[in-house]
Amino acid sequence: MSQRNIAVPDQAGALDPGKMDACTVLEVINRVSGKWAIGILLEATRGPVRFTELERSVEGISRRMLTLTLRNLERDGLLARTVYPTVPPRVEYEATPMAKELYESLTGLVGWAERYREAIAEARVTYDGHAGC
């Protein structure tokens, strides 16, 4: 079960705005670093994408998890959901400008991981060799 950061009132019953801000930041970081969110955001950054397209492209995600993750990303302002009045209704998801900025940060992180992949692998081998002593 995941832990949630909940702002707790002080003895006078007031909420600490600093703690509330920290909770919000941690919630958003946890949300976008979740198992499925990055894959969904990467797809939605390329342009409007439908639910079934996401279901096929995000390997291993269940319909329920896709639905929950989409709702949470929309709630956080990272996805825009458009419903077209057709029969059956057509729904598309697209990354918001805020999510596109996040994408730029993620590509920087991916670049960092690629640059240091070998060094990290070597460090792990070294560590694992000493851990058995």
Side-chain angles (χ1 to χ4, degrees):
M1 187 183 302
S2 65
Q3 270 188 310
R4 292 187 176 202
N5 293 314
I6 301 171
V8 179
D10 62 16
Q11 291 178 342
L15 293 175
D16 180 351
K19 287 183 182 177
M20 288 174 43
D21 289 345
C23 288
T24 302
V25 169
L26 289 173
E27 286 175 0
V28 171
I29 289 172
N30 287 334
R31 176 118 51 229
V32 299
S33 66
K35 183 174 183 180
W36 307 112
I38 292 174
I40 291 168
L41 289 172
L42 291 176
E43 291 297 321
T45 301
R46 295 183 184 124
V49 63
R50 296 179 70 177
F51 184 93
T52 53
E53 294 170 324
L54 287 169
E55 193 174 28
R56 282 191 297 267
S57 63
V58 181
E59 193 171 321
I61 194 167
S62 69
R63 295 190 119 213
R64 175 160 169 67
M65 278 311 301
L66 179 55
T67 299
L68 291 173
T69 307
L70 287 169
R71 284 181 187 160
N72 287 328
L73 292 171
E74 183 181 5
R75 181 176 182 245
D76 290 340
L78 296 169
L79 287 181
R81 180 177 182 260
T82 305
V83 180
Y84 295 94
T86 60
V87 178
R90 185 178 62 144
V91 180
E92 291 181 340
Y93 298 90
E94 188 169 12
T96 63
M98 185 169 44
K100 291 177 182 176
E101 184 179 336
L102 173 63
Y103 175 80
E104 292 173 17
S105 299
L106 290 174
T107 56
L109 179 61
V110 168
W112 175 87
E114 288 173 351
R115 283 192 306 279
Y116 290 101
R117 177 181 40 219
E118 289 180 24
I120 292 168
E122 290 171 11
R124 287 177 178 174
V125 168
T126 302
Y127 179 86
D128 292 345
H130 293 310
C133 296

